[in-house]
Amino acid sequence: MTARSVAPAAGRAALADELAREIKRLRTEAGMSQRVLAGRIGYSRQYVSMAEWEDANLPSRELIVAIDAILNAGGRLVQLRQRASNLRAQRGRPRGRTPSGEGEEQTNRRDALRTVGFGIVAGTGLQGLVLNAAQDSSSLSGSLNRPAVDATTIESAAADLRRVATDYVLNPDLGNVLLELISIRDILAAQLKYAVRPSEMSELYVLMAATCAVLGSVSHDLAEPKAAVIQTRSAVRFAELAGHRSLITWSYCTWAMIHSWWGTSKDVLDVIDRIDDPYGLSAVRLSGFAARAYAEMGDKDAAHEAIARSCDEHSKAADAGVLAEFGATFSFSPARRHYYNSMVHADLGEWSRALSEAGQTIGMYAPAQADTWPATLTLAEINSARSLLHLEGPDAALQCLRRVFETPHGQQIPQVMAGIDRVWNDLCTGWSRDESGNALGDAIREYKSAGREVG
């Protein structure tokens, strides 16, 4: 190693240490603890703590910008970080390693996330992490430098994506799934910046599209619809660049799903209208979302037509195998289709049909449950309980909900709690508070209260 290569490295380390000390000094003078500072900028305390470590990796630019603003540093912290980053760039690129620059910043952040682990997700920085991940995906989809790719790295990232997308379906641990997806996306992005051949770029675009699509779903489950939409738009962009028809339509499906829970019926139909020719399994999903949107608008005929179209499309979907290569998230089983139908019939007040469709979903879990996302079973049980409330009364609904109340609180995604709220609203508006109604109401209150305590 030459003196020329050593000097920038030493200078960068000195600047990084100076940055860490300056952050600590300004925070202390402002009378803030690390936890208070973290809460104000939307990061975890552990992540802020690492920014004050000397002899550590250079913190991300986003974090330093946020700290600089909160501590009224007037840009000094940002300038220190930029000077350290510039010195790092002067070191050159060792053969066989990822070039320095934005890709290395993302790798540093990935290492930091792995060091902190699930504490980030469980702490106060969850919202900031989800939103920052979404903004990163949006930026990555818009910066498309072309340039030698390590085939082994791509294969490894693709295998990791399949594993994580399947774990997300079969045993969802949203915090760890989010962290692993961010790691996969950053690896792919670093490769994308140095891809040259069209085939390499196309493969990377496809994997980036699939990764962002799952990030959209996870952000949705973490109650961050804005981040979810940003991730999904990025997925659409990458899929369009790859010319991957199935992924384009699937990404639009995810977009429609987000609006079906967080937006309006018109939002859902507007997304569906963006697709000229819905294709394969995604066409089945889209018909289900359209049916639900029409049901919420009170258009019974249009809702029934969309349900029929969903059944017809499912019988001729030809791209299940194409999507399955990305993991179990990219599947739409008959069980899920029946669940969608039960939601539509419940929204229309067709309780016998809603109960029948939910029963079809529940029945498909036996004897094996690995083909369907566990949350679908939980939601189908809620639809059954809601239907039974209207058909037989509170006692029958409570018996059905007892299985739901056994669901681990870690899997209480917003859709589950929204379903419980629907049962509660039906109970409050349609039944006098007799003994059975009180028992159901008490059980729902206890379940929701336990969920808040765990959260």
Side-chain angles (χ1 to χ4, degrees):
M1 182 178 293
T2 66
R4 183 181 179 183
S5 63
V6 171
R12 184 188 70 84
L15 285 172
D17 290 349
E18 182 181 349
L19 174 63
R21 290 192 296 269
E22 186 67 3
I23 292 171
K24 184 175 181 179
R25 183 185 70 78
L26 290 171
R27 176 183 59 77
T28 302
E29 288 181 357
M32 291 187 199
S33 66
Q34 290 180 345
R35 188 177 301 279
V36 170
L37 175 58
R40 293 192 180 182
I41 63 175
Y43 284 79
S44 72
R45 185 195 64 77
Q46 295 96 325
Y47 208 20
V48 169
S49 174
M50 285 190 293
E52 297 184 2
W53 291 353
E54 297 184 34
D55 298 321
N57 286 328
L58 197 62
S60 70
R61 186 177 188 280
E62 307 99 300
L63 176 63
I64 298 305
V65 168
I67 293 176
D68 191 293
I70 288 295
L71 297 181
N72 297 315
R76 296 199 308 279
L77 299 179
V78 176
Q79 290 172 2
L80 266 175
R81 191 204 171 281
Q82 187 60 50
R83 287 167 56 197
S85 179
N86 291 343
L87 283 175
R88 176 176 59 192
Q90 295 173 20
R91 295 174 60 189
R93 301 204 295 257
R95 173 172 292 201
R97 294 189 179 182
T98 301
S100 58
E102 291 183 21
E104 186 174 330
E105 285 185 22
Q106 292 158 352
T107 301
N108 290 342
R109 180 175 59 202
R110 180 172 68 254
D111 293 341
L113 289 171
R114 285 175 170 170
T115 300
V116 176
F118 188 74
I120 289 178
V121 176
T124 59
L126 175 59
Q127 183 180 33
L129 178 62
V130 176
L131 291 172
N132 286 341
Q135 293 293 349
D136 287 346
S137 290
S138 181
S139 297
L140 292 167
S141 67
S143 68
L144 301 169
N145 298 329
R146 291 169 171 64
V149 172
D150 180 9
T152 302
T153 299
I154 297 178
E155 291 173 3
S156 177
D160 285 343
L161 174 61
R162 283 192 293 273
R163 173 182 55 79
V164 174
T166 299
D167 289 346
Y168 172 42
V169 167
L170 302 180
N171 186 25
D173 180 343
L174 296 179
N176 284 332
V177 167
L178 176 69
L179 295 177
E180 289 207 70
L181 287 170
I182 293 172
S183 173
I184 293 167
R185 186 208 57 199
D186 287 357
I187 290 170
L188 293 171
Q191 293 293 308
L192 185 58
K193 289 178 178 295
Y194 307 100
V196 176
R197 294 187 293 273
S199 60
E200 293 173 338
M201 293 190 302
S202 179
E203 185 175 10
L204 287 165
Y205 290 153
V206 166
L207 291 173
M208 284 292 281
T211 302
C212 289
V214 185
L215 276 167
S217 293
V218 174
S219 300
H220 161 68
D221 287 342
L222 289 170
E224 290 292 348
K226 181 178 179 180
V229 169
I230 293 173
Q231 294 282 12
T232 305
R233 286 174 177 165
S234 299
V236 170
R237 174 63 173 148
F238 282 118
E240 288 174 342
L241 288 167
H244 198 296
R245 187 181 178 191
S246 295
L247 268 178
I248 292 170
T249 315
W250 186 271
S251 299
Y252 273 115
C253 278
T254 303
W255 197 341
M257 175 192 72
I258 296 162
H259 282 316
S260 73
W261 287 97
W262 303 99
T264 66
S265 300
K266 183 180 181 301
D267 293 331
V268 174
L269 296 176
D270 284 347
V271 170
I272 294 173
D273 286 343
R274 292 174 184 237
I275 309 173
D276 294 331
D277 185 18
Y279 176 71
L281 275 181
S282 299
V284 183
R285 286 183 78 200
L286 286 171
S287 295
F289 291 130
R292 184 175 175 192
Y294 287 128
E296 290 177 343
M297 296 166 66
D299 192 338
K300 181 178 293 188
D301 291 341
H304 287 167
E305 288 176 10
I307 287 177
R309 190 163 58 250
S310 173
C311 295
D312 182 56
E313 291 286 352
H314 204 283
S315 65
K316 58 185 182 184
D319 64 342
V322 174
L323 288 168
E325 68 176 281
F326 303 116
T329 299
F330 297 86
S331 65
F332 193 75
S333 66
R336 291 185 70 187
R337 177 169 60 81
H338 285 296
Y339 157 67
Y340 277 36
N341 292 347
S342 73
M343 289 288 292
V344 173
H345 289 304
D347 287 339
L348 292 171
E350 298 171 344
W351 302 113
S352 294
R353 290 185 177 184
L355 182 62
S356 175
E357 293 284 359
Q360 293 267 23
T361 297
I362 295 167
M364 288 179 180
Y365 275 83
Q369 297 186 12
D371 294 332
T372 318
W373 186 21
T376 303
L377 174 60
T378 302
L379 293 167
E381 295 277 17
I382 292 172
N383 282 347
S384 290
R386 191 179 177 200
S387 301
L388 288 169
L389 174 64
H390 288 270
L391 293 170
E392 300 179 19
D395 279 339
L398 179 56
Q399 290 305 311
C400 189
L401 278 181
R402 291 197 187 282
R403 295 187 290 267
V404 174
F405 294 156
E406 295 173 359
T407 303
H409 285 288
Q411 296 184 21
Q412 289 180 7
I413 57 178
Q415 298 93 306
V416 171
M417 303 311 293
I420 294 293
D421 285 339
R422 288 190 177 96
V423 178
W424 171 262
N425 291 336
D426 288 353
L427 176 67
C428 291
T429 58
W431 273 265
S432 59
R433 302 313 297 268
D434 58 15
E435 184 176 348
S436 62
N438 286 334
L440 175 58
D442 291 344
I444 292 174
R445 278 194 296 269
E446 181 179 353
Y447 177 74
K448 293 178 66 175
S449 175
R452 284 193 294 270
E453 290 173 4
V454 171

